[in-house]
Amino acid sequence: MKSLVKRSSAAALAGLLLCLAFVPAVHAVEILRWERLPLAVPLVVGQERVVFIERNVRIGVPPTVGEQLRVQSAGGAIYLRASAPIPPTRLQLQDVESGALILLDIAAEPAKAGQPALEPVRIVEGDVPATRYGEPAKPADDDAERTVPAAKRATPVAVVLTRYAAQNLYAPLRTVEPVPGLGRVNLRRGLELSTLLPTLPVRAQALAAWRLEDQWVTAVKLTNASGRWLDLDPRALQGDFLAATFQHPNLAPAGRAADTTVVYLVTRGHGLAESLLPKLSPIDATVNLPPAAAAGQAEGGARHEK
């Protein structure tokens, strides 16, 4: 009887070990919290490392490491595999929908003896994400239940629009911080801007326009058409503008590198075209008369002279 019990116990233990042998291994996942600081993702040469981000992103890879790094993306996961040692390099992940950027600092080193494989990485949002530039200010916990008539922004809309327009024209694309609700609008073709700065010999051309809530910003290029220096003063602008900002305070004489700048015009309730003054011209009274009446007056005047 005892031998039978021992045999049964041994058989059960063997069966348990056999079952455990077929249980897949559970891999640990390293959690990285994105709080607008670059995330370090080390690599090992010849090993593939998976980065889970759970969003549709574009991956910016510097050309210096393009041949040593294989990058693939599928289903919210990014697969990185280095074929050679890579010095510290920064990758840019840009959200396709919002345009937000996530920065990864990678570096690939040869595998060491006995070194375990690197675990996958999952990127999650920080517990208390920093307030983005231009977003409405969130009320404190004590005021959460109070009724707020209108959301207030941490920064005035005119400042947000001007800064965003200047970044799009003068700063690298990677430094342009997305602003929720801000979008580009179409400009009217051949917009006449001769009345914008009538006291200065400049040529004006509208470049681009953006809108946020009920305000518009239009970037207008100004080019000096004279041979002297011109000082730019917002008080010389003619039109219905909420705010105006010059990229540079003056213009060099025509033909120099500094003879061109941009002015950012912020309007409320409508775009730039509706904020300009009408163009005045000499009045010819006969132009407003019907053709037949004008001809009759000429003929009548001739008969009267006879």
Side-chain angles (χ1 to χ4, degrees), residues 97-141:
E97 297 181 358
S98 66
L101 290 178
I102 294 180
L103 305 179
L104 301 183
D105 286 345
I106 66 167
E109 298 180 353
K112 299 179 181 179
Q115 180 181 1
L118 296 175
E119 65 272 10
V121 173
R122 183 179 298 277
I123 299 177
V124 298
E125 293 289 341
D127 294 335
V128 184
T131 302
R132 291 185 178 178
Y133 185 88
E135 283 189 348
K138 297 182 179 179
D141 295 340

Coordinates of all heavy atoms in Angstrom, one line a residue, residues 97-141:
E97 N -2.4 62.2 -34.7 CA -3.6 63.0 -34.5 C -3.4 64.3 -33.8 O -3.8 65.4 -34.3 CB -4.6 62.2 -33.6 CG -5.0 60.9 -34.3 CD -6.0 60.1 -33.4 OE1 -6.3 60.6 -32.3 OE2 -6.4 59.0 -33.9
S98 N -2.6 64.4 -32.7 CA -2.5 65.6 -32.0 C -1.2 66.4 -32.4 O -1.1 67.6 -32.1 CB -2.5 65.4 -30.5 OG -1.4 64.6 -30.1
G99 N -0.2 65.7 -33.0 CA 1.1 66.3 -33.2 C 2.0 66.4 -32.1 O 3.1 66.9 -32.2
A100 N 1.6 65.8 -30.9 CA 2.5 65.9 -29.7 C 3.7 65.0 -30.0 O 3.7 64.0 -30.6 CB 1.7 65.4 -28.5
L101 N 4.8 65.4 -29.4 CA 6.1 64.7 -29.5 C 6.5 64.0 -28.2 O 6.2 64.5 -27.1 CB 7.2 65.7 -29.9 CG 7.2 66.3 -31.2 CD1 8.4 67.3 -31.4 CD2 7.2 65.3 -32.3
I102 N 7.1 62.8 -28.4 CA 7.7 62.0 -27.3 C 9.1 61.7 -27.7 O 9.4 61.3 -28.8 CB 6.9 60.7 -27.0 CG1 5.5 61.0 -26.5 CG2 7.7 59.9 -26.0 CD1 4.7 59.8 -26.2
L103 N 10.1 62.0 -26.9 CA 11.5 61.9 -27.2 C 12.1 60.7 -26.5 O 11.9 60.4 -25.3 CB 12.2 63.1 -26.7 CG 11.7 64.5 -27.2 CD1 12.5 65.6 -26.7 CD2 11.7 64.5 -28.8
L104 N 12.8 59.9 -27.3 CA 13.5 58.7 -26.8 C 15.0 58.9 -27.0 O 15.4 59.2 -28.1 CB 13.0 57.4 -27.5 CG 11.5 57.1 -27.4 CD1 11.3 55.7 -28.2 CD2 11.1 57.0 -26.0
D105 N 15.8 58.6 -26.0 CA 17.2 58.6 -26.0 C 17.7 57.1 -26.1 O 17.6 56.4 -25.1 CB 17.8 59.3 -24.8 CG 17.7 60.8 -25.0 OD1 17.3 61.3 -26.1 OD2 17.8 61.5 -24.0
I106 N 18.2 56.7 -27.2 CA 18.7 55.3 -27.4 C 20.2 55.3 -27.4 O 20.8 56.3 -27.8 CB 18.1 54.7 -28.6 CG1 18.6 55.3 -29.9 CG2 16.6 54.7 -28.6 CD1 18.3 54.6 -31.1
A107 N 20.8 54.1 -27.1 CA 22.2 53.9 -27.3 C 22.3 52.3 -27.3 O 21.8 51.6 -26.4 CB 23.0 54.5 -26.1
A108 N 23.0 51.8 -28.3 CA 23.2 50.4 -28.4 C 24.6 50.0 -28.1 O 25.6 50.6 -28.6 CB 22.9 50.0 -29.9
E109 N 24.8 49.0 -27.3 CA 26.1 48.4 -26.9 C 26.1 46.9 -27.2 O 25.1 46.3 -27.2 CB 26.4 48.7 -25.4 CG 26.4 50.2 -25.1 CD 26.7 50.4 -23.6 OE1 26.7 49.4 -22.9 OE2 26.9 51.5 -23.2
P110 N 27.3 46.4 -27.4 CA 27.4 44.9 -27.6 C 26.9 44.1 -26.4 O 27.0 44.6 -25.2 CB 28.9 44.7 -27.9 CG 29.4 46.0 -28.3 CD 28.6 47.0 -27.6
A111 N 26.4 43.0 -26.6 CA 25.9 42.1 -25.5 C 27.1 41.6 -24.7 O 28.2 41.3 -25.2 CB 25.1 41.0 -26.1
K112 N 26.9 41.6 -23.3 CA 27.9 41.1 -22.4 C 27.6 39.7 -22.0 O 26.5 39.2 -22.1 CB 27.9 42.0 -21.2 CG 28.3 43.4 -21.5 CD 28.2 44.3 -20.2 CE 28.6 45.7 -20.5 NZ 28.5 46.6 -19.2
A113 N 28.6 38.9 -21.6 CA 28.4 37.5 -21.2 C 27.5 37.4 -20.1 O 27.6 38.1 -19.1 CB 29.8 36.9 -20.9
G114 N 26.5 36.5 -20.3 CA 25.5 36.3 -19.2 C 24.5 37.4 -19.1 O 23.7 37.4 -18.1
Q115 N 24.5 38.4 -19.9 CA 23.5 39.5 -19.8 C 22.1 39.0 -20.3 O 22.0 38.5 -21.4 CB 23.9 40.7 -20.6 CG 23.0 41.9 -20.5 CD 23.5 43.1 -21.4 OE1 24.5 43.0 -22.0 NE2 22.7 44.2 -21.4
P116 N 21.1 39.2 -19.4 CA 19.7 38.8 -19.9 C 19.2 39.7 -20.9 O 19.7 40.9 -21.1 CB 18.9 38.9 -18.6 CG 19.6 39.9 -17.8 CD 21.1 39.8 -18.1
A117 N 18.2 39.2 -21.7 CA 17.6 40.0 -22.7 C 16.8 41.2 -22.1 O 16.2 41.1 -21.0 CB 16.7 39.2 -23.5
L118 N 16.8 42.3 -22.8 CA 16.1 43.5 -22.3 C 14.6 43.3 -22.4 O 14.1 42.7 -23.4 CB 16.6 44.7 -23.1 CG 18.0 45.1 -22.9 CD1 18.3 46.3 -23.9 CD2 18.4 45.5 -21.5
E119 N 13.9 43.7 -21.4 CA 12.4 43.5 -21.4 C 11.8 44.6 -22.2 O 12.4 45.7 -22.5 CB 11.9 43.6 -19.9 CG 12.1 44.9 -19.3 CD 13.4 45.0 -18.5 OE1 14.2 44.1 -18.7 OE2 13.6 46.0 -17.8
P120 N 10.6 44.4 -22.7 CA 9.8 45.4 -23.4 C 9.6 46.7 -22.6 O 9.7 46.6 -21.4 CB 8.5 44.7 -23.8 CG 8.8 43.3 -23.7 CD 9.8 43.1 -22.6
V121 N 9.3 47.7 -23.3 CA 9.0 49.0 -22.6 C 7.6 49.5 -23.0 O 7.2 49.4 -24.1 CB 10.1 50.1 -23.1 CG1 9.7 51.5 -22.5 CG2 11.4 49.7 -22.7
R122 N 6.9 50.0 -22.0 CA 5.6 50.6 -22.2 C 5.6 52.0 -21.8 O 6.0 52.4 -20.6 CB 4.5 49.8 -21.4 CG 3.1 50.4 -21.7 CD 2.1 49.6 -20.9 NE 2.0 48.2 -21.3 CZ 1.4 47.8 -22.4 NH1 0.7 48.6 -23.1 NH2 1.4 46.5 -22.7
I123 N 5.2 52.9 -22.6 CA 5.2 54.4 -22.4 C 3.8 54.8 -22.0 O 2.8 54.5 -22.7 CB 5.7 55.2 -23.6 CG1 7.2 54.8 -23.9 CG2 5.6 56.7 -23.3 CD1 7.7 55.5 -25.1
V124 N 3.7 55.4 -20.8 CA 2.4 55.9 -20.4 C 2.5 57.4 -20.0 O 3.6 57.9 -19.8 CB 1.9 55.1 -19.1 CG1 1.7 53.6 -19.5 CG2 2.8 55.2 -18.0
E125 N 1.3 58.0 -20.0 CA 1.3 59.4 -19.6 C 1.6 59.5 -18.1 O 1.3 58.7 -17.3 CB -0.1 60.0 -19.9 CG -0.4 60.1 -21.3 CD 0.4 61.2 -22.0 OE1 1.0 62.1 -21.3 OE2 0.5 61.1 -23.3
G126 N 2.2 60.6 -17.7 CA 2.6 60.9 -16.3 C 1.3 61.1 -15.5 O 0.2 61.4 -16.0
D127 N 1.4 60.8 -14.2 CA 0.3 61.0 -13.3 C -0.2 62.4 -13.3 O -1.4 62.6 -13.2 CB 0.7 60.5 -11.9 CG 1.0 59.1 -11.8 OD1 0.5 58.3 -12.6 OD2 1.8 58.7 -10.9
V128 N 0.6 63.3 -13.3 CA 0.2 64.8 -13.2 C 0.9 65.4 -14.4 O 2.0 66.0 -14.2 CB 0.6 65.4 -11.9 CG1 0.1 66.9 -11.9 CG2 0.1 64.7 -10.7
P129 N 0.4 65.3 -15.6 CA 1.0 66.0 -16.8 C 1.1 67.5 -16.6 O 0.2 68.1 -16.1 CB 0.1 65.5 -18.0 CG -1.2 65.2 -17.3 CD -0.9 64.7 -16.0
A130 N 2.2 68.0 -17.1 CA 2.3 69.5 -17.0 C 1.3 70.2 -17.9 O 0.9 69.6 -19.0 CB 3.8 69.9 -17.4
T131 N 0.9 71.3 -17.5 CA -0.1 72.1 -18.3 C 0.6 72.5 -19.6 O 1.7 73.1 -19.6 CB -0.5 73.3 -17.6 OG1 -1.1 72.9 -16.3 CG2 -1.6 74.1 -18.4
R132 N 0.0 72.2 -20.7 CA 0.6 72.6 -22.0 C 0.3 74.1 -22.3 O -0.7 74.6 -21.9 CB 0.0 71.7 -23.1 CG 0.4 70.3 -23.0 CD -0.1 69.5 -24.2 NE 0.4 68.1 -24.2 CZ 0.1 67.2 -25.1 NH1 -0.7 67.5 -26.1 NH2 0.5 66.0 -25.0
Y133 N 1.2 74.6 -23.1 CA 1.1 76.0 -23.4 C -0.2 76.3 -24.2 O -0.5 75.6 -25.2 CB 2.3 76.5 -24.3 CG 2.4 77.9 -24.6 CD1 3.0 78.8 -23.7 CD2 1.8 78.5 -25.7 CE1 3.1 80.2 -23.9 CE2 1.9 79.8 -26.0 CZ 2.5 80.7 -25.1 OH 2.5 82.0 -25.3
G134 N -1.0 77.2 -23.7 CA -2.2 77.6 -24.4 C -3.4 76.9 -24.0 O -4.5 77.2 -24.5
E135 N -3.3 75.8 -23.2 CA -4.5 75.1 -22.8 C -5.2 75.9 -21.7 O -4.7 76.7 -20.9 CB -4.1 73.7 -22.2 CG -3.7 72.7 -23.3 CD -3.6 71.3 -22.7 OE1 -3.5 71.2 -21.4 OE2 -3.5 70.4 -23.5
P136 N -6.6 75.6 -21.6 CA -7.3 76.3 -20.6 C -6.8 75.9 -19.2 O -6.5 74.8 -19.0 CB -8.8 75.8 -20.8 CG -8.8 75.4 -22.2 CD -7.4 74.9 -22.5
A137 N -6.8 76.9 -18.3 CA -6.3 76.6 -16.9 C -7.3 75.8 -16.2 O -8.5 76.1 -16.2 CB -6.1 77.9 -16.2
K138 N -6.9 74.7 -15.5 CA -7.8 73.8 -14.8 C -8.1 74.4 -13.4 O -7.1 74.8 -12.7 CB -7.2 72.4 -14.7 CG -7.0 71.8 -16.1 CD -6.5 70.4 -16.0 CE -6.3 69.7 -17.3 NZ -5.7 68.4 -17.2
P139 N -9.3 74.3 -13.0 CA -9.6 74.8 -11.7 C -9.0 73.9 -10.6 O -8.8 72.7 -10.8 CB -11.1 74.8 -11.6 CG -11.5 73.8 -12.6 CD -10.5 73.8 -13.7
A140 N -8.8 74.5 -9.4 CA -8.3 73.7 -8.3 C -9.4 72.7 -7.8 O -10.6 72.8 -8.2 CB -7.9 74.6 -7.1
D141 N -9.0 71.8 -6.9 CA -9.9 70.8 -6.5 C -11.1 71.4 -5.7 O -12.2 70.9 -5.8 CB -9.2 69.8 -5.6 CG -8.2 69.0 -6.4 OD1 -8.3 68.9 -7.6 OD2 -7.3 68.4 -5.7

